[in-house]
Amino acid sequence: MSREDYEVVIGLEVHAELSTRTKIFCSCSTEFGANENTHVCPICTAMPGALPKLNEKVVEYAVKAGLATNCSISQDSKNDRKNYFYPDLPKSYQISQFDKPLCNHGYVEIEDDDGNKKKVRILRIHIEEDAGKLNHDEYSSGSLVDLNRAGVPLIEIVSEPDLRSSGEADRYLKKLKSILQYINVSDCKMEEGSLRADVNVSIHKPGTELGTRHEMKNINSFKAIQRAIEYEIDSQIDDAENGKVIQQETMRWDDLEGRTFPMRSKEDAQDYRYFPDPDLVAIKLSDEYINNIKENLPELPESRKVRYMEEIGLSEKDADALVSSRRFSDIFEEAGKICNDYKSVCNWLTSDISRILNEGEMDPEEIPFKAKELAELVSLINDGTISSKIGKKVLEELFKEPRSPKKIIEEKGWVQISDESEIKEVVMTVLEANPQSIVDFKAGKDRALGFLVGQAMKATKGKANPQMLNKMFLEELKK
Ligand code: ADP
Ligand code: MG
Ligand code: ZN
C-alpha cells in the first residue's frame, strides 16, 4: 500500500480578526501592537457586573463576509457562552455562537490539483470574541497576561471537509484571504495573527467512511499550514499501515521541529456547556438590512477579472494574477489610470514586481511604494526619459526606499541621453576607435552595427537612447 491508495480529507476552521475600530462588546480600541493592557476596560477584563453590548459593525462585517462567500444570512441569530478555563480568558467563557450562527451554507470556488474549478462548501460563519495573550517571560518563570486582544472581534469560517490536498487547502485559504481583503472586513495579516487556521486532516480509502481527524490549532502562515498537512498525511498513513488506530486528537504543530505533538484528546461540544448569553439580546436582521449590505458590497475579484479581460484586453492568466491580491489589483487600477498604460503596469506587476516579492518572500501587501510612483516609472519609460533597463534599476530603488522615480533618476544621474548632439559625439568617438567595424559593416556584416551600439551603451553606462544610437550609426556608416 502506498500514499496513492489513500484519499486525504481536510477541513479548515479559519479565524479572521475583523478590522472594526473597537472591540466586539466594549468600546476599547482593537489596534495591534499597543503597550500591554492599555486597551482594556471592566467589560473586556471581566469585572463582576460589567455588561457587554454587541458592536453593530461586527454584525455588518460578518454579514458582508457571508454574502461574499455565497452564504445564506440568518435573520434570527444569537450569542452563546462557550465555557472553558484558560488564563487568557478572564470570564472563563468565550462569547461565541453555537446553534444559530449568522451565516450558513456558502461556498468559495478554487482550482483543484488538476486545474479544474471546484466549490469548497462553507458550513457556517459565526462571530465571537478573541482571547487575551500569554507572554512567557524570559526573566522569571512566570507568564504575563496581556488583555488587549481580549474582545477583539473574530469571524470563524468553518469549511466542510471538501479539501483533498495541501495544495487545495493553500488555494482555499488564499482565496478566503483575498475575499476578506476585497470586502474590507479584515487586514488578514497572518504575521500579526489576524488570520489563522485550525487544520483538520484525516485519511481514508476512497469509497469508505471518512477517517478520524487530527486537528492542528492556530497555524498562522501559509507555509506552516502546508508543511503541517504534509506531515500529518505521512504520519497517519504510516500509522494506518502499521495497524495503529488513529484517535481523534488536538495537535500542536511545531514549525521548528517540523512535526506535530498531541495536545489533548478532542473535546466535544457538550464539554463546553454552551448556553445563550443572558446578558445579550437576540440578533434579528431585517430583509432591508441584509439587502442594503448586499447592494453596497465592494466589487469582488471575479468581477474585476472579467472587467480586465473585456475592457482592457488582458489575458486570463494576467487578470488572474492581478486579482489574486487586492493590493495588486488596486495598484493596477490606480497606476493604469494615472499613466493611461494598463498593459505596461500589468507587465511590471506580473513580472519584475512579482519576482522581487517572491525572492524576498513578501506579500503584495508589503509593497512599499505607491501606485502613483509605479505610474510615474511607466511614463518615464514611455516618454523616453529612461530606458526600460534603467527602469528596472529604478524599481529596485522603489523597493529599497520609495520616492518619486523622477527624483531617483536625477539623484542617480540615470536620465537617458536623448540629446542629438551628445549622441552624435558618442557615435563619432566610438566609430573612430573601431575602424575595423566600419570595414566589416561595409562588407555586409550586420553584426558590426550591434557591436558599435553596444560600445556606445558601455561608454554612456547604458544611458544613451538606443533607438537614436541605431539610427545615427546607420546614417554615418552609410555615408
Ligand atoms: P470542532 O472542531 O469545533 O469540533 P466540527 O466538528 O464542526 O468542529 O469540525 C470542524 C472541522 O473539521 C470542519 O472544518 C470540518 O470540515 C472538519 N472535518 C470534519 N470531519 C473531518 C474529517 N473526517 N477529516 C478532516 N476534516 C474533517
Ligand atoms: Mg475545531
Ligand atoms: Zn474593553
Side-chain angles (χ1 to χ4, degrees):
M1 285 267 172
S2 67
R3 195 160 165 157
E4 282 71 50
D5 299 313
Y6 291 91
E7 182 176 56
V8 172
V9 174
I10 302 166
L12 297 188
E13 298 158 271
V14 175
H15 286 96
E17 278 182 3
L18 298 177
S19 42
T20 55
R21 213 171 42 78
T22 56
K23 292 186 181 179
I24 182 168
F25 298 118
C26 62
S27 50
C28 291
S29 163
T30 56
E31 193 202 347
F32 179 83
N35 284 338
E36 288 81 0
N37 297 307
T38 52
H39 292 165
V40 292
C41 74
I43 296 170
C44 53
T45 54
M47 292 299 149
L51 287 173
K53 199 170 124 197
L54 180 59
N55 178 348
E56 202 229 292
K57 276 279 170 210
V58 171
V59 177
E60 182 189 321
Y61 282 19
V63 169
K64 272 188 179 173
L67 291 170
T69 53
N70 309 294
C71 288
S72 48
I73 307 302
S74 173
Q75 293 187 279
D76 174 25
S77 178
K78 67 178 166 74
N79 291 111
D80 300 280
R81 290 187 181 180
K82 180 181 183 179
N83 299 281
Y84 68 96
F85 172 78
Y86 203 67
D88 62 6
L89 187 74
K91 292 198 296 294
S92 278
Y93 59 84
Q94 176 195 31
I95 305 179
S96 178
Q97 296 194 286
F98 180 48
D99 53 340
K100 285 182 171 183
L102 267 179
C103 320
N104 290 287
H105 304 301
Y107 66 86
V108 299
E109 214 167 54
I110 62 161
E111 268 184 16
D112 67 14
D113 287 341
D114 302 320
N116 299 316
K117 294 230 178 329
K118 157 173 185 165
K119 281 181 181 167
V120 179
R121 290 168 303 155
I122 288 171
L123 175 65
R124 57 186 277 161
I125 301 179
H126 64 254
I127 54 173
E128 61 186 25
E129 58 181 340
D130 209 343
K133 214 173 175 173
L134 293 184
N135 294 321
H136 304 289
D137 189 1
E138 292 168 45
Y139 305 106
S140 68
S141 55
S143 288
L144 302 167
V145 187
D146 175 12
L147 293 178
N148 282 349
R149 201 178 65 178
V152 167
L154 295 173
I155 47 175
E156 177 170 337
I157 305 168
V158 182
S159 85
E160 298 277 6
D162 284 351
L163 301 158
R164 293 291 172 269
S165 69
S166 60
E168 284 190 11
D170 187 58
R171 287 190 289 279
Y172 167 73
L173 196 58
K174 285 186 173 145
K175 190 66 180 271
L176 266 190
K177 176 178 170 183
S178 119
I179 291 172
L180 297 178
Q181 287 178 329
Y182 273 93
I183 59 173
N184 263 328
V185 302
S186 173
D187 62 17
C188 295
K189 290 187 180 159
M190 291 186 106
E191 68 284 4
E192 291 182 5
S194 52
L195 187 74
R196 45 196 203 257
D198 297 349
V199 182
N200 297 271
V201 181
S202 69
I203 53 158
H204 73 145
K205 303 225 169 94
T208 66
E209 262 179 58
L210 288 191
T212 306
R213 69 190 152 109
H214 277 174
E215 174 172 0
M216 293 167 280
K217 285 280 187 195
N218 273 332
I219 316 185
N220 65 351
S221 89
F222 287 110
K223 249 200 190 133
I225 289 169
Q226 292 235 38
R227 292 179 66 211
I229 292 173
E230 289 299 322
Y231 176 86
E232 270 297 319
I233 296 171
D234 285 342
S235 125
Q236 290 183 23
I237 289 177
D238 249 19
D239 283 355
E241 291 292 299
N242 292 317
K244 245 169 92 179
V245 179
I246 295 161
Q247 301 291 337
Q248 189 164 328
E249 260 178 324
T250 302
M251 318 286 284
R252 180 175 63 84
W253 167 251
D254 188 319
D255 207 41
L256 285 179
E257 295 234 1
R259 55 168 292 202
T260 56
F261 293 90
M263 254 166 53
R264 54 175 186 259
S265 64
K266 175 74 192 164
E267 60 289 298
D268 282 324
Q270 64 199 26
D271 297 329
Y272 290 119
R273 294 174 294 112
Y274 279 101
F275 64 87
D277 193 305
D279 291 338
L280 290 156
V281 293
I283 306 168
K284 304 269 185 195
L285 305 181
S286 66
D287 281 329
E288 198 192 346
Y289 176 86
I290 298 169
N291 284 334
N292 187 34
I293 294 178
K294 195 184 267 174
E295 275 157 27
N296 291 305
L297 216 55
E299 190 184 19
L300 291 169
E302 208 48 39
S303 145
R304 284 199 190 195
K305 178 180 153 184
V306 171
R307 206 156 45 77
Y308 295 171
M309 290 165 64
E310 286 176 358
E311 289 173 19
I312 301 172
L314 298 186
S315 69
E316 180 166 10
K317 188 166 158 260
D318 282 346
D320 263 329
L322 291 177
V323 301
S324 68
S325 122
R326 163 114 197 224
R327 184 77 201 288
F328 247 46
S329 175
D330 284 349
I331 292 181
F332 170 69
E333 299 206 2
E334 209 186 319
K337 196 168 166 198
I338 298 172
C339 68
N340 200 19
D341 183 354
Y342 286 95
K343 291 235 163 104
S344 296
V345 173
C346 167
N347 276 339
W348 281 103
L349 285 165
T350 54
S351 58
D352 292 277
I353 294 175
S354 291
R355 178 183 45 80
I356 294 173
L357 292 177
N358 274 337
E359 285 167 3
E361 292 187 16
M362 288 159 74
D363 277 340
E365 287 74 45
E366 295 170 76
I367 293 176
F369 52 84
K370 299 192 189 78
K372 189 174 93 201
E373 290 157 348
L374 178 60
E376 195 176 302
L377 172 58
V378 170
S379 298
L380 287 169
I381 295 170
N382 286 349
D383 68 17
T385 310
I386 55 171
S387 64
S388 50
K389 209 167 160 190
I390 296 287
K392 287 179 202 274
K393 285 163 70 175
V394 172
L395 181 69
E396 275 167 28
E397 280 298 311
L398 282 178
F399 267 97
K400 272 190 235 151
E401 197 194 328
R403 55 206 194 276
S404 147
K406 267 197 198 119
K407 271 218 187 88
I408 295 175
I409 58 176
E410 270 167 32
E411 266 170 40
K412 304 269 175 189
W414 285 344
V415 183
Q416 178 162 272
I417 303 169
S418 298
D419 179 85
E420 210 151 316
S421 58
E422 261 183 83
I423 298 265
K424 176 121 195 194
E425 209 180 303
V426 179
V427 166
M428 297 320 276
T429 320
V430 169
L431 284 174
E432 223 164 277
N434 297 281
Q436 186 55 41
S437 296
I438 305 177
V439 177
D440 289 348
F441 184 82
K442 298 210 159 150
K445 290 188 188 159
D446 290 344
R447 270 191 318 131
L449 175 65
F451 173 76
L452 290 167
V453 171
Q455 291 301 107
M457 279 305 226
K458 212 166 161 185
T460 57
K461 300 201 175 79
K463 288 192 296 188
N465 181 322
Q467 284 86 22
M468 289 180 75
L469 278 180
N470 246 305
K471 194 165 152 260
M472 221 173 269
F473 270 119
L474 268 178
E475 278 170 16
E476 290 303 319
L477 287 166
K478 283 186 176 156
K479 271 186 188 164

